[in-house]
Every structure is written in C-alpha cells, then in structure tokens.
Amino acid sequence: GGDYGLAGATSSGPVRQELALTGRFPITRATVRAFGEFNALNATAALAAAEPAGATLRGDLLADYAGVRRRQA
C-alpha cells in the first residue's frame, strides 16, 4: 500500500523507461532517463516527495534529468 505507488515500468529506449504511477499522483505516467527497477523506484520516490512539497508534476519532469547518466554505464 501507500499513498503513492509504482504499478510498473517499461523500457522506452536505450536509457529511458515509462513509469505507471498509482495512488495520489496527479499524473498516471512519467518518463525517466534511467533504466532498472532501482531507478524506477527512486524516481517514483522523488516524484512522491516533490508533489506534496508543491511541485507541479508533469510526465516529462525527469525525462531529461542528466544526473543519472554517469550511473548507466
């Protein structure tokens, strides 16, 4: 359970995945510039923390986040 959740993640390119979000998220899908379950969960947690802090969530918010690149080798 929980207020925010990740229903699943699917690859959408060599270093991107689409997240299916559940719970209190105001969006149902998000693109992340990272692959793997750990990164999907991290991105979900980041979005979950940002939303109640007042951030306006969009599906592409983390799509171009460059900080992950160095860890994808």
Side-chain angles (χ1 to χ4, degrees), residues 32-58:
V32 178
R33 184 181 173 180
F35 57 87
E37 181 181 9
F38 177 81
N39 287 320
L41 292 170
N42 249 3
T44 302
L47 292 169
E51 202 271 330
T56 300
L57 298 190
R58 299 183 327 266

Side-chain angles (χ1 to χ4, degrees), residues 11-27:
S11 176
S12 66
V15 205
R16 290 186 192 271
Q17 58 184 333
E18 296 290 325
L19 308 180
L21 304 172
T22 62
R24 296 184 58 189
F25 280 112
I27 57 176

